[in-house]
Amino acid sequence: MLTKGDDYPIHQTPEPIAYAGSDRNFYDRYFFNGYSPDGSEFVAVAFGVYPALNVADAHVSIIRDGVQRCLHASRILGLERMDIAVGPIRIEVIEPLQKLKVTLARSEGIACELVFEGRSFPIEEPRFVRRNGPRLFMDYTRLTQNGRVSGWLEVDGDRRDMGPGWTGTRDRSWGIRPVGAPDPQPTPGGGIAGFFWQWTPVNFEDRSVFFHVNADPDGKPWNTRAVILPDGAGPEGGWHSDVPSMEDVALKPGTRHASGGTLKIPLAQGEARVRLEPIGQPFLMRGIGYGGEWRHGALKGELAVGREDIELAAVDMGQPENWHIQAISKATFSAPSEPERQGIGVFEQLIAGPYRPYGL
């Protein structure tokens, strides 16, 4: 099965590009978010292809005036992975690893044009590998990049430009994660005891700070790193730590969401601290396909497009479908011999199952 990708020198196996190994859960995904300097407006985008399921899907979700408005689209992939569009949503790679564009042609009252320009070379996070008993649960690589965001967002005829100071984060991940319909057959000796995840890409005026942690139910990290990256840094730039920690975390009553936290990053000359303080209502990740009817890789037919509006103040944040969030957060950076810096970013959180350090 030859496709457009076969005319580019990007093969990783003897197979045509249409085939991605042998695991039905292989995926290849884009993610973007962007937010105003005060955090009052927020947009996120997800776009994924699932070669073994022969499905592609895309999502654009905008928070405005306390409502999260989501545009979902899904189509049959047709094995052609070089067509980075699903219905009205399109990705353009203008300059690889530096500048990309997302376009949502007006659909169901929502439209946008978003241009993302990286502030430095992307970081490569440590490879994520986890098993469920004898079966591979996840095995993927992700690059992450903070950037400056420009363009416009339109909701029900109200079009607003992304003004000066809009920033955000994008990532590209590929590999194996649970996608599409769940496997109906349980695995003897398997079963995920719990899943704990925090991710905090933050934008400051002259630098970016990144942190992530996957941990077991007892709080032992199995994948973690923090990076402090000055603007303009290249592939080997910045300060990397494999022993960061997120401390001073208290959960909001009735939820699995933090009311704040302090990221601590060991430095050669002491310790950097980033205090995160969520503001406003959190962004629900189900709005871009992380669970729900429009979950990643779901088969919806030849082409399906739908809108979903979520009144955030009316949502029960204690329900499992709302556990996975990105909390738009103000950030304060401090380090020895440096002036204090103010910034903004997201505090992504997902705690499924028990997590004993937080009393869950």
Side-chain angles (χ1 to χ4, degrees):
M1 176 64 195
L2 297 180
T3 62
K4 297 175 184 177
D6 289 303
D7 232 359
Y8 294 83
I10 56 176
H11 294 87
Q12 298 291 308
T13 75
E15 297 274 25
I17 288 295
Y19 307 129
S22 58
D23 196 302
R24 57 90 70 187
N25 283 335
F26 189 89
Y27 78 98
D28 209 333
R29 182 176 301 142
Y30 295 84
F31 165 83
F32 302 84
N33 69 20
Y35 33 82
S36 59
D38 62 0
S40 62
E41 290 205 44
F42 183 94
V43 59
V45 177
F47 187 110
V49 299
Y50 315 92
L53 302 180
N54 206 20
V55 167
D57 54 33
H59 314 261
V60 174
S61 191
I62 299 167
I63 290 181
R64 182 178 288 177
D65 302 326
V67 181
Q68 183 172 329
R69 297 171 174 88
C70 317
L71 195 286
H72 308 284
S74 174
R75 68 173 172 87
I76 293 175
L77 179 64
L79 298 177
E80 183 55 78
R81 299 170 66 186
M82 296 295 286
D83 289 340
I84 319 177
V86 179
I89 303 172
R90 176 174 297 277
I91 308 287
E92 297 175 61
V93 181
I94 298 172
E95 183 181 343
L97 303 180
Q98 178 59 29
K99 187 175 183 179
L100 294 90
K101 182 178 181 181
V102 178
T103 303
L104 166 57
R106 188 175 295 104
S107 182
E108 306 275 344
I110 303 175
C112 76
E113 185 176 280
L114 181 158
V115 176
F116 182 99
E117 296 190 67
R119 301 181 59 177
S120 60
F121 196 84
I123 65 169
E124 180 183 337
E125 296 175 358
R127 185 167 170 174
F128 294 79
V129 182
R130 194 73 168 169
R131 289 191 175 273
N132 175 12
R135 296 189 60 179
L136 199 60
F137 174 65
M138 59 172 54
D139 181 4
Y140 68 91
T141 292
R142 178 167 53 204
L143 67 82
T144 303
Q145 184 178 43
N146 277 2
R148 306 196 187 281
V149 182
S150 59
W152 52 267
L153 305 172
E154 182 180 312
V155 176
D156 297 329
D158 181 5
R159 174 169 162 171
R160 303 179 190 177
D161 289 336
M162 298 177 184
W166 272 70
T167 52
T169 302
R170 80 174 185 102
D171 73 40
R172 284 278 292 110
S173 64
W174 57 92
I176 296 164
R177 299 205 286 212
V179 295
D183 189 336
Q185 178 170 315
T187 303
I192 299 298
F195 190 83
F196 178 87
W197 169 248
Q198 292 177 340
W199 186 59
T200 64
V202 181
N203 281 281
F204 296 94
E205 184 176 358
D206 63 344
R207 67 189 62 184
S208 298
V209 175
F210 305 92
F211 163 75
H212 76 268
V213 60
N214 270 131
D216 67 20
D218 289 320
K220 181 180 179 181
W222 56 266
N223 192 307
T224 187
R225 181 176 291 172
V227 180
I228 302 172
L229 200 62
D231 278 7
E236 306 302 322
W239 177 265
H240 295 243
S241 172
D242 292 327
V243 288
S245 61
M246 181 65 73
E247 302 182 11
D248 307 322
V249 172
L251 300 184
K252 297 179 180 179
T255 78
R256 293 176 172 238
H257 303 155
S259 59
T262 302
L263 170 62
K264 298 183 178 181
I265 307 172
L267 304 174
Q269 72 276 26
E271 181 180 74
R273 297 189 177 200
V274 180
R275 179 63 189 171
L276 295 163
E277 301 175 81
I279 54 177
Q281 295 287 348
F283 176 85
L284 301 179
M285 294 294 280
R286 64 180 169 93
I288 53 171
Y290 287 84
E293 178 189 352
W294 293 89
R295 68 186 179 275
H296 296 151
L299 180 60
K300 307 289 283 185
E302 191 68 32
L303 175 64
V305 178
R307 174 170 169 171
E308 175 186 16
D309 287 7
I310 306 170
E311 293 277 354
L312 292 172
V315 167
D316 182 354
M317 294 296 176
Q319 291 298 309
E321 66 178 357
N322 301 318
W323 286 350
H324 193 183
I325 65 164
Q326 287 193 348
I328 307 158
S329 301
K330 291 183 178 179
T332 304
F333 179 96
S334 59
S337 304
E338 292 193 36
E340 191 171 86
R341 290 171 169 82
Q342 302 298 316
I344 188 168
V346 299
F347 188 174
E348 182 174 328
Q349 306 160 54
L350 172 59
I351 311 173
Y355 189 67
R356 285 175 270 280
Y358 292 174
L360 298 174

